[in-house]
């Protein structure tokens, strides 16, 4: 039987830390399929007679459960270790596909929502946080880069899943039976792929340090602490709640486009001389996934150099300006629309991958995985808020007889306001007050003082 206890996954001497990011990627590339949900929206709507708002329910519930399972399971994941967490994620995520397949086959949409949204969403949350603390411990010298590599997989999962889903639907059928077969195939294939991460992951010994490296930070260190803050105490700090607002606003602004990407670009240019085909719309989803994926690595790695606060100024401030360009330009230029959306999604992805490093800077590594899990409730909120804003406004505008960019302009202005709120919250972040720090044992205090003297 596979040993699941944390103590059984301690790496032996000579283990390469560079084997851990591929283990994390095996999980994140699979669960990142959630970002390709928009490919399933049109066939579900046509085969089951659903509205755009209704077809978003599995995705919305999955994001809600992601945040809730990450928040409530974060401390347990820290205690039981990454292998246990990755196995739980694999079982929940893949069985969710199987339940959703049953729902599509029997035309019981509530089973699709239950399977993909509730059960699969638990797999999303546990899988998302499972490698974060482990990666930060393996890469204390480059936390932004390390978390960016893994979380990049979540953003890039749709880059694989989007064309794969479209191909399966073309081959197996876009009716309810074809959707069921597609869900079944994806659940089984992902189970095999995710198992590779379960087998490969290791945690470092308690006294392990990266050889020949110094603590990272060419980055500005004003907000970087050597103290440790527990998950319980972190919730009592204004810094945590400012980060919660920042993440919620950034995610809402990105997820509103991502969840409705395929129908959005088709609607936006439907009244032009060159409307967007279904294949091109699926390609747009893939492009956004690529931007999301690359942004998670590139921007979080950059944050090791320029600091977390500065990089969030970029995400939120420039993101608001890009939304303004989209709102004002309308359907005048497809390349401009695609370019702005891609950069917004790169900021969206970068916001996710930089968050664990920002938490590490502010609260230390003591319970950073558990704190990260609690922070992801902001994602749950945004997972409801973003699609609800975009879908509800688009549905109401369509009912009023409007079309094209008019379906989305109001949503874009709302996103601008939310990003401004996030920008202000980022400016309010200061170092955590020492009263929230954990007591340092005398031997560790001496070690810290010796390191500081060097």
């Amino acid at each position: 039987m596979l040993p699941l206890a944390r103590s059984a996954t301690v790496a032996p001497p000579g283990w390469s830390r560079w084997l851990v990011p591929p283990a994390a990627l095996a999980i994140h590339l699979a669960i990142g399929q959630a970002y390709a949900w928009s490919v399933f929206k049109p066939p579900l709507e046509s085969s089951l007679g659903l509205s755009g708002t209704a077809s978003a329910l599995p995705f919305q519930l999955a994001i809600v459960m992601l945040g809730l399972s990450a928040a409530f399971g974060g401390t347990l994941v820290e205690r039981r270790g990454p292998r246990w967490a990755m196995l739980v994620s694999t079982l929940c995520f893949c069985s969710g596909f199987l339940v959703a397949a049953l729902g599509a086959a029997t035309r019981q949409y509530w089973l699709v929502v239950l399977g993909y949204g509730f059960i699969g969403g638990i797999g999303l949350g546990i899988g998302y946080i499972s490698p974060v603390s482990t990666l930060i411990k393996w890469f204390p010298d480059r936390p932004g880069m390390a978390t960016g590599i893994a979380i990049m997989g979540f953003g890039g999962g749709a880059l694989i899943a989007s064309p794969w889903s479209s191909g399966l639907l073309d081959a197996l059928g876009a009716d309810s039976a074809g959707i069921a077969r597609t869900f079944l195939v994806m659940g089984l294939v992902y189970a095999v792929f995710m198992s590779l991460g379960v087998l490969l992951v290791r945690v470092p010994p308690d006294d392990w340090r990266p050889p020949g490296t110094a603590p990272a930070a060419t980055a500005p260190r004003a907000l970087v602490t050597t103290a440790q803050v527990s998950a319980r105490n972190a919730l009592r700090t204004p810094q945590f709640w400012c980060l919660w607002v920042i993440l919620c606003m950034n995610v809402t602004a990105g997820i509103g486009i991502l969840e409705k990407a395929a129908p959005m670009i088709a609607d936006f240019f439907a009244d032009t001389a060159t409307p967007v085909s279904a294949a091109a719309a699926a390609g747009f989803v893939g492009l956004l996934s690529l931007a999301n994926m690359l942004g998670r690595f590139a921007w979080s790695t950059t944050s090791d150099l320029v600091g977390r606060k500065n990089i969030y100024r970029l995400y939120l401030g420039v993101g608001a300006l890009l939304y303004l360009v989209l709102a004002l330009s309308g359907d005048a230029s497809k390349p401009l629309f695609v370019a702005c959306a891609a950069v917004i999604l790169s900021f969206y992805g970068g916001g996710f991958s930089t968050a664990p490093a920002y938490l590490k800077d502010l609260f230390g590594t003591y319970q950073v995985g558990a704190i990260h899990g609690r922070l992801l409730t902001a994602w749950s909120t945004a997972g409801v808020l973003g699609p609800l804003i975009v879908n509800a406004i688009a549905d109401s505008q369509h009912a009023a007889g409007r079309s094209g960019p008019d379906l989305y302009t109001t949503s874009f202005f709302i996103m601008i306001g939310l990003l401004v709120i996030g920008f202000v919250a980022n400016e309010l972040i200061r170092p955590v007050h020492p009263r929230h720090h954990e007591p340092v044992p005398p031997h560790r205090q001496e070690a810290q003082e010796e390191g500081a003297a060097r």
Side-chain angles (χ1 to χ4, degrees), residues 95-157:
S95 63
F97 268 107
L98 303 185
V99 174
L102 177 62
T106 58
R107 301 181 62 84
Q108 297 293 315
Y109 186 57
W110 68 272
L111 280 174
V112 178
V113 176
L114 173 67
Y116 189 94
F118 184 82
I119 301 172
I122 294 173
L124 288 180
I126 299 299
Y128 190 87
I129 64 172
S130 60
V132 168
S133 177
T134 303
L135 282 165
I136 288 177
K137 289 180 172 67
W138 276 114
F139 292 88
D141 49 326
R142 285 173 280 186
M145 182 210 69
T147 56
I149 289 174
I151 295 177
M152 172 180 71
F154 193 91

Side-chain angles (χ1 to χ4, degrees), residues 225-230 233 363-364 366 434-450:
T225 183
T226 57
Q228 306 294 336
V229 181
S230 68
N233 282 340
F363 303 112
Y366 172 48
R435 69 173 177 271
H436 299 294
H437 295 168
E438 289 294 296
V440 179
H443 67 281
R444 289 189 59 190
Q445 186 172 9
E446 291 171 6
Q448 285 183 6
E449 290 172 354
E450 182 182 350

Side-chain angles (χ1 to χ4, degrees), residues 249 252-253 256-257 264 268 316 319-330 344 386 389-390 393 397 405-421:
M249 299 301 100
T252 301
I257 287 182
M264 178 183 288
F268 223 84
L316 300 160
L321 293 177
L322 291 173
Y323 259 116
L324 182 62
V325 171
L326 287 177
L328 296 180
S329 62
I344 289 171
I389 290 170
V390 174
I393 291 176
Q397 295 287 69
D406 290 342
L407 297 175
Y408 302 101
T409 302
T410 301
S411 299
F412 290 170
F413 279 111
I414 292 174
M415 299 306 176
I416 292 170
L418 295 178
L419 288 170
V420 170
I421 292 172

Side-chain angles (χ1 to χ4, degrees), residues 263-280:
M264 178 183 288
I265 192 169
D267 290 340
F268 223 84
F269 297 97
D271 298 332
T272 66
T274 54
V276 176
S277 66

